[in-house]
Amino acid sequence: MEQKYNPKDIEQKWQGQWEQAKTFAVTEDPDKQKYYLLEMFPYPSGRIHMGHVRNYSIGDVVGRFKRMRGFNVLHPMGWDAFGMPAENAAIQNKSHPAKWTYENIDYMRGQLKKMGLSYDWGRELATCDVEYYRWEQKIFLQMFEKGLAYKKTSFVNWCPKCETVLANEQVEDGNCWRCDSEVKQKELDQWFFRITDYAEELLDWTYRLTGWPERVLVMQRNWIGKSYGCEIDFPLEGTGDAVRVFTTRQDTVFGATFMSLAPEHPMAQKLTKPDRKDEVDAFIEKVKKTDRIKRTAEDFEKEGVFTGSYCINPLTKVRMPVYLANFVLMDYGTGAVMAVPTHDQRDFEFAKKYSLPLQVVIQPENKTIAPETMTAAFCDAGILVNSGKFDGMGSDAAKEAIADYLQAEGVGRKTVNFRLRDWGISRQRYWGNPIPIIYCDTCGVVPVPDQDLPVKLPMDVEFTGEGGSPLAKLDAFINCTCPLCGQPARREADTMDTFVQSSWYFLRYCCPDVKDTPLDRQRVDYWMSVDQYIGGIEHAVLHLLYARFFTKVLRDLGYISCDEPFSNLLTQGMVIKDGAKMSKSKGNVVDPNALIDRYGADTARLFSLFAAPPEKDLDWSDQGVDGSFRFLNRVWKLVHDRLDLINNAKVMDPSSLTQEERTLRRAVHKTIKKVTEDIEERFHFNTAIAAVMELLNVLQATELATPQYGAVIREALESMVQLLAPFVPHITEELWQRMGHSTPLSDTPWPAYDQEAVVDEERLIVVQVNGKLRSKITVPAGTSEDILKSMALVDEKVLPFTDGKQVRKVICVPDKLVNIVVG
């Protein structure tokens, strides 16, 4: 039999056998404990990268391990296939997004299969398949019926030259990525999902998801942004109107000296006096070209413009000039901020720039600050001053007292605010799921009837990248008949945000073949929630939050029973090379194909799993790859060198092993114990692999001429191969077969360790004199206290410290230490 390790032939052989036998296909089995394992599905960009290799290898270890532990493991794969890159490729290559997407899926599927991943490929789905997105349209209509989907005007990034909406990623330094024209903010009608209806529940569950990293949960809590405070009305001078603000610092209201409005605020133009109009209009246009995220950055220069209007502080009766400010957004609170420059740093910088008044209303304890000497705002808790009847009160207590007072006076009210805003899902692009809505001049907004679903994405479109979505110009798609009155009508030309598709794909995996409904509740309830979800930290907020929201919506629509989609979450680290994340632009990419062609998939998997714990960044090392390949060759050679010995070995009798045989067996079972715990409890794959490497060293260094050595080495080698199976499945399947087993290793139970075998027969005892280490002695495990004391007292290293002294006490901790107290 060929002794040389040839990964290419071995891997092709076993990948073919797994596929032919449908080894990893599963169905619901009430007699088995289920385990739903999922890695975030990829965008079919054309090629997998080392980040994919690492992510999917991590998942595959868990899947194969759980399967060998007896679980009914669901481990599916699919494609997040709609989105902007396909349109960009279509424009650049003068092809169709569908052609580009499906060709990439075919290629990447082949790459994933070459990695030997244990996917149930019978459940594969692509979100651009009509059999997937048709059900999303149905869910949209049910959300529309319940008021969870609605339309309103919203600002978008607009390129006037290309006449199209741009995603934030397509805006580069304020310009269009394609034509370099200046991007503007434009108000358009947009569809939204009312995620804010679920804000409280989404927040509450972040305190119950014990299997999630705290870092991710904190990010979600901050994004949801629940805050307790007050809404306060500031009357506008000379009108019957008022500006309403939300603040969490009502204790500082006596220090409010001006008002800041978001440039997008609906009152901005109304409050602008004629002599200020040109300057205000210019400022609004300037802000429209500014990235919204930059506007809120701490180091972003604070700028504004005076509208010419004033409002009145309801408690101090002071006239407050109303400004538009670039750092105020409509996305939080009311879009208006009562500016307290002495106690808010942004307001302080703004006030200094525009010479606006400062009024200190909170003093630190044991210190006095004056406005004219301040170099920064005082934002901490303190004692109220210049605050009328609230002077002398602590700022925390004053928040409650002032809130009650505002409410009693009818100028404010206690309230809870959320930073979270409703999810805008409209995209003015082609390659996405059509929104199933019809517009009729007579009937208004009309949902597409169930019997007319799906609204199919037309394939006969041309891409230029200009003039907006090609759907809007395709008469055969846009023009339709109103289902209510039969009159000519128009279809919605927008498509859904691709985050919609990734917000429920994990549910469809549970029943991808169901034809008459989005989800089969019985099957979904068997598999959900996902027991282990794996993906990058970059998805901590949007994808994971939207998936949680969608799960709750589908629960409330009666499709599923679970409250949360993912019980446990692992966010794996990046792959780093030459000190930076691998990317084409940095020229530090390693091609997984080249790696697999040279070394085999098992080596690629082993290195990506051994080089770092899953949650940490992995530093690429060519030497590490070579080392992983050499290790597999050593395993291959050791098994083949011992084949004759193990094939002729008799059945082992553990009770009659020699000391050397017991020592070797103890090393084996300690390794089984450690690898099991490292995978099951900690996901410490690197230390699990290191433990097997140590065992290999022991086995290579041990060759006995004892009666049961053959039986012991057979158990050792079989255990080693089984322990490596989740990490390097191809070589271990081949070795398992060559060791004489007819049942595939993937169908073989995980080895159990012998509790008695892992107990050390000897113990190293620390001997102290008056608490200081003086000697160490080796004794049989379980040695009695009397014998330990006697041995310690006559130990030659101890005697110099006890001779001539009175032994007052001997303290003994069995199997650990002896402390001799002398005086």
Side-chain angles (χ1 to χ4, degrees), residues 187-230:
E187 253 190 322
L188 288 180
D189 284 342
Q190 304 275 291
W191 284 96
F192 287 81
F193 283 156
R194 209 178 295 276
I195 190 173
T196 51
D197 278 10
Y198 288 82
E200 195 71 64
E201 186 183 354
L202 288 166
L203 179 63
D204 176 59
W205 272 92
T206 64
Y207 296 96
R208 302 195 226 173
L209 294 171
T210 55
W212 284 42
E214 184 63 20
R215 176 187 175 193
V216 174
L217 295 172
V218 168
M219 290 169 76
Q220 291 215 356
R221 288 170 199 149
N222 291 341
W223 189 266
I224 295 167
K226 184 177 182 180
S227 51
Y228 297 89
C230 278

Coordinates of all heavy atoms in Angstrom, one line a residue, residues 187-230:
E187 N -34.2 64.6 -0.7 CA -35.4 63.9 0.0 C -36.1 63.1 -1.0 O -36.5 63.6 -2.1 CB -36.3 65.0 0.6 CG -36.2 65.1 2.1 CD -37.3 66.0 2.7 OE1 -37.6 67.0 2.1 OE2 -37.8 65.6 3.8
L188 N -36.3 61.8 -0.7 CA -37.1 60.9 -1.5 C -38.1 60.2 -0.7 O -37.8 59.9 0.5 CB -36.2 59.9 -2.3 CG -35.3 60.5 -3.4 CD1 -34.5 59.3 -4.0 CD2 -36.1 61.1 -4.5
D189 N -39.2 59.7 -1.3 CA -40.1 58.8 -0.6 C -39.4 57.4 -0.5 O -38.9 56.9 -1.4 CB -41.4 58.6 -1.4 CG -42.3 59.8 -1.2 OD1 -42.1 60.5 -0.3 OD2 -43.2 59.9 -2.1
Q190 N -39.3 56.9 0.8 CA -38.6 55.7 1.1 C -39.5 54.7 1.9 O -40.3 55.2 2.7 CB -37.4 56.0 1.9 CG -36.4 56.9 1.2 CD -35.5 56.3 0.2 OE1 -34.6 55.5 0.6 NE2 -35.7 56.5 -1.0
W191 N -39.3 53.4 1.7 CA -40.0 52.4 2.5 C -39.2 52.1 3.8 O -38.0 52.1 3.7 CB -40.3 51.2 1.8 CG -41.4 51.3 0.8 CD1 -41.3 51.6 -0.5 CD2 -42.8 51.1 1.1 NE1 -42.6 51.6 -1.1 CE2 -43.5 51.3 -0.1 CE3 -43.5 50.8 2.3 CZ2 -44.9 51.3 -0.2 CZ3 -44.9 50.8 2.2 CH2 -45.6 51.0 1.0
F192 N -39.9 52.0 4.9 CA -39.3 51.7 6.2 C -39.9 50.5 6.9 O -41.1 50.3 6.7 CB -39.4 52.9 7.1 CG -38.5 54.1 6.7 CD1 -38.9 54.9 5.7 CD2 -37.3 54.3 7.4 CE1 -38.1 56.0 5.4 CE2 -36.5 55.3 7.0 CZ -36.8 56.2 6.0
F193 N -39.2 49.8 7.7 CA -39.7 48.8 8.6 C -39.7 49.5 10.0 O -38.7 50.1 10.4 CB -38.8 47.6 8.7 CG -39.1 46.6 7.5 CD1 -38.1 45.7 7.1 CD2 -40.2 46.7 6.8 CE1 -38.3 44.9 6.0 CE2 -40.5 45.8 5.7 CZ -39.5 44.9 5.3
R194 N -40.8 49.3 10.8 CA -40.9 49.9 12.1 C -40.2 49.1 13.2 O -40.9 48.5 14.1 CB -42.4 50.1 12.4 CG -42.7 51.3 13.2 CD -44.2 51.4 13.5 NE -45.0 51.7 12.3 CZ -45.2 53.0 11.8 NH1 -44.6 54.0 12.4 NH2 -45.9 53.1 10.7
I195 N -38.9 49.1 13.1 CA -38.1 48.3 14.1 C -38.3 49.0 15.5 O -38.1 48.3 16.5 CB -36.7 48.2 13.6 CG1 -35.9 47.3 14.5 CG2 -36.0 49.6 13.6 CD1 -34.4 47.0 14.0
T196 N -38.6 50.3 15.5 CA -38.7 51.0 16.8 C -39.9 50.4 17.6 O -39.8 50.5 18.9 CB -39.0 52.5 16.6 OG1 -40.1 52.6 15.6 CG2 -37.7 53.1 16.0
D197 N -40.8 49.7 17.0 CA -41.9 49.1 17.8 C -41.3 48.0 18.7 O -42.0 47.5 19.7 CB -43.0 48.5 16.9 CG -44.0 49.5 16.4 OD1 -43.7 50.7 16.7 OD2 -45.0 49.1 15.8
Y198 N -40.1 47.5 18.3 CA -39.5 46.3 19.0 C -38.3 46.8 19.8 O -37.6 45.9 20.4 CB -39.1 45.2 18.1 CG -40.3 44.5 17.5 CD1 -41.0 45.0 16.4 CD2 -40.7 43.3 18.0 CE1 -42.1 44.3 15.9 CE2 -41.8 42.6 17.5 CZ -42.5 43.1 16.5 OH -43.6 42.4 15.9
A199 N -38.1 48.1 20.0 CA -36.9 48.6 20.6 C -36.7 48.1 22.0 O -35.7 47.6 22.5 CB -36.9 50.1 20.6
E200 N -37.8 48.1 22.8 CA -37.8 47.7 24.2 C -37.4 46.2 24.3 O -36.6 45.8 25.1 CB -39.1 48.0 24.9 CG -39.1 47.9 26.4 CD -38.3 49.1 27.0 OE1 -38.7 50.3 26.9 OE2 -37.2 48.8 27.7
E201 N -38.1 45.4 23.5 CA -37.8 44.0 23.6 C -36.4 43.6 23.1 O -35.7 42.8 23.6 CB -38.8 43.2 22.7 CG -38.7 41.7 22.9 CD -39.6 40.8 22.0 OE1 -40.5 41.4 21.4 OE2 -39.5 39.6 22.0
L202 N -36.0 44.3 22.0 CA -34.6 44.1 21.5 C -33.6 44.4 22.6 O -32.6 43.7 22.8 CB -34.4 44.9 20.2 CG -35.1 44.5 19.0 CD1 -35.1 45.6 17.9 CD2 -34.5 43.2 18.4
L203 N -33.8 45.5 23.3 CA -32.9 45.9 24.3 C -33.0 44.9 25.5 O -31.9 44.5 26.0 CB -33.3 47.3 24.8 CG -32.4 47.9 26.0 CD1 -31.0 48.0 25.5 CD2 -33.0 49.2 26.4
D204 N -34.2 44.5 25.9 CA -34.3 43.6 27.1 C -33.6 42.3 26.8 O -33.0 41.8 27.8 CB -35.8 43.4 27.3 CG -36.1 42.4 28.4 OD1 -35.6 42.6 29.5 OD2 -36.7 41.3 28.1
W205 N -33.7 41.8 25.6 CA -33.1 40.5 25.4 C -31.5 40.6 25.3 O -30.9 39.5 25.4 CB -33.6 39.9 24.1 CG -34.9 39.1 24.3 CD1 -36.2 39.5 24.3 CD2 -34.9 37.7 24.7 NE1 -37.0 38.4 24.6 CE2 -36.3 37.3 24.8 CE3 -33.9 36.7 24.9 CZ2 -36.6 36.0 25.1 CZ3 -34.3 35.4 25.2 CH2 -35.7 35.1 25.3
T206 N -31.0 41.7 25.2 CA -29.5 41.8 25.2 C -29.0 41.5 26.6 O -27.8 41.2 26.8 CB -29.0 43.2 24.9 OG1 -29.4 44.2 25.8 CG2 -29.4 43.6 23.5
Y207 N -29.8 41.5 27.6 CA -29.4 41.1 29.0 C -29.7 39.6 29.3 O -29.4 39.1 30.3 CB -30.2 41.9 30.0 CG -29.8 43.4 29.9 CD1 -30.5 44.3 29.2 CD2 -28.6 43.9 30.5 CE1 -30.2 45.6 29.1 CE2 -28.2 45.2 30.4 CZ -29.0 46.1 29.7 OH -28.6 47.4 29.5
R208 N -30.3 38.9 28.3 CA -30.6 37.5 28.4 C -29.7 36.6 27.5 O -29.7 35.4 27.6 CB -32.0 37.2 28.1 CG -33.0 38.0 29.0 CD -34.4 37.4 28.9 NE -35.4 38.4 28.7 CZ -36.7 38.2 28.5 NH1 -37.1 36.9 28.4 NH2 -37.6 39.2 28.4
L209 N -29.1 37.2 26.5 CA -28.3 36.4 25.6 C -26.9 36.1 26.2 O -25.9 36.7 25.8 CB -28.1 37.2 24.2 CG -29.5 37.4 23.5 CD1 -29.3 38.4 22.3 CD2 -30.0 36.1 23.0
T210 N -26.9 35.2 27.1 CA -25.7 34.8 27.8 C -24.6 34.2 27.0 O -23.4 34.1 27.4 CB -26.0 33.9 29.0 OG1 -26.7 32.7 28.5 CG2 -26.9 34.6 30.0
G211 N -25.0 33.7 25.8 CA -24.0 33.1 24.9 C -23.4 34.0 23.9 O -22.7 33.6 23.0
W212 N -23.6 35.3 24.0 CA -23.1 36.3 23.1 C -21.9 37.0 23.8 O -21.9 37.3 25.0 CB -24.1 37.3 22.8 CG -25.2 36.9 21.8 CD1 -25.8 35.7 21.7 CD2 -25.7 37.7 20.7 NE1 -26.7 35.7 20.7 CE2 -26.7 36.9 20.0 CE3 -25.5 39.0 20.2 CZ2 -27.4 37.3 18.9 CZ3 -26.2 39.4 19.1 CH2 -27.1 38.6 18.5
P213 N -20.9 37.5 23.0 CA -19.9 38.3 23.6 C -20.4 39.6 24.1 O -21.3 40.3 23.5 CB -18.9 38.6 22.4 CG -19.3 37.6 21.4 CD -20.7 37.2 21.6
E214 N -20.0 40.0 25.3 CA -20.5 41.2 25.9 C -20.2 42.4 25.1 O -21.0 43.4 25.0 CB -19.8 41.4 27.3 CG -20.4 42.6 28.1 CD -21.8 42.5 28.5 OE1 -22.4 41.3 28.4 OE2 -22.4 43.5 28.8
R215 N -19.1 42.4 24.3 CA -18.8 43.5 23.5 C -19.9 43.8 22.4 O -20.2 44.9 22.2 CB -17.4 43.2 22.8 CG -17.0 44.3 21.7 CD -15.8 43.8 21.0 NE -15.4 44.7 20.0 CZ -14.5 44.4 19.0 NH1 -13.9 43.2 19.0 NH2 -14.2 45.2 18.1
V216 N -20.4 42.7 21.8 CA -21.4 42.8 20.8 C -22.7 43.3 21.5 O -23.4 44.2 20.9 CB -21.7 41.5 20.1 CG1 -22.9 41.6 19.2 CG2 -20.4 41.1 19.4
L217 N -23.1 42.8 22.6 CA -24.3 43.2 23.3 C -24.2 44.7 23.7 O -25.2 45.4 23.6 CB -24.5 42.4 24.6 CG -24.7 40.9 24.3 CD1 -24.7 40.1 25.6 CD2 -26.1 40.7 23.6
V218 N -23.1 45.2 24.1 CA -22.9 46.6 24.5 C -23.1 47.4 23.2 O -23.8 48.5 23.2 CB -21.6 46.8 25.1 CG1 -21.3 48.3 25.2 CG2 -21.5 46.2 26.5
M219 N -22.6 47.0 22.1 CA -22.7 47.7 20.8 C -24.2 47.8 20.4 O -24.7 48.9 20.0 CB -21.9 47.1 19.7 CG -20.4 47.2 19.9 SD -19.4 46.1 18.8 CE -19.6 47.0 17.2
Q220 N -24.9 46.7 20.6 CA -26.3 46.8 20.3 C -27.1 47.7 21.3 O -28.0 48.4 20.9 CB -26.9 45.4 20.3 CG -26.4 44.5 19.2 CD -27.4 43.5 18.6 OE1 -28.6 43.4 19.1 NE2 -27.1 42.8 17.6
R221 N -26.8 47.6 22.5 CA -27.4 48.5 23.5 C -27.2 50.0 23.2 O -28.1 50.8 23.3 CB -26.9 48.2 24.9 CG -27.4 46.9 25.5 CD -26.7 46.5 26.8 NE -26.9 45.1 27.1 CZ -26.0 44.3 27.7 NH1 -24.8 44.9 28.1 NH2 -26.2 43.0 27.9
N222 N -26.0 50.3 22.8 CA -25.7 51.6 22.4 C -26.4 52.1 21.2 O -26.8 53.2 21.0 CB -24.2 51.8 22.3 CG -23.4 51.7 23.6 OD1 -24.0 51.9 24.6 ND2 -22.1 51.4 23.5
W223 N -26.5 51.1 20.2 CA -27.2 51.5 19.0 C -28.7 51.7 19.2 O -29.3 52.6 18.7 CB -27.0 50.3 18.0 CG -27.5 50.6 16.6 CD1 -28.8 50.3 16.1 CD2 -26.8 51.3 15.6 NE1 -28.8 50.8 14.8 CE2 -27.7 51.4 14.4 CE3 -25.5 51.9 15.5 CZ2 -27.3 52.0 13.2 CZ3 -25.2 52.5 14.3 CH2 -26.0 52.5 13.2
I224 N -29.3 50.9 20.1 CA -30.7 51.0 20.5 C -30.8 52.3 21.3 O -31.8 53.1 21.1 CB -31.2 49.8 21.2 CG1 -31.2 48.6 20.4 CG2 -32.6 50.1 21.8 CD1 -31.4 47.3 21.1
G225 N -29.9 52.6 22.2 CA -29.7 53.9 22.8 C -30.9 54.3 23.6 O -31.4 55.4 23.4
K226 N -31.4 53.5 24.6 CA -32.5 54.0 25.4 C -32.0 55.0 26.4 O -30.9 54.8 27.1 CB -33.0 52.8 26.2 CG -34.3 53.1 27.0 CD -34.8 51.9 27.7 CE -36.1 52.2 28.5 NZ -36.7 51.0 29.2
S227 N -32.7 56.1 26.6 CA -32.3 57.1 27.5 C -33.6 57.7 28.1 O -34.6 57.9 27.5 CB -31.5 58.2 26.9 OG -32.1 58.7 25.7
Y228 N -33.4 58.0 29.4 CA -34.5 58.7 30.2 C -34.3 60.2 30.3 O -33.2 60.6 30.6 CB -34.6 58.0 31.6 CG -34.9 56.6 31.6 CD1 -33.9 55.6 31.5 CD2 -36.2 56.1 31.6 CE1 -34.2 54.3 31.5 CE2 -36.5 54.8 31.7 CZ -35.5 53.8 31.6 OH -35.8 52.5 31.6
G229 N -35.3 60.9 30.0 CA -35.1 62.4 30.1 C -36.5 63.1 30.0 O -37.5 62.6 30.5
C230 N -36.4 64.3 29.4 CA -37.6 65.2 29.3 C -37.7 65.7 27.9 O -36.7 66.0 27.2 CB -37.5 66.3 30.3 SG -37.9 66.0 31.9

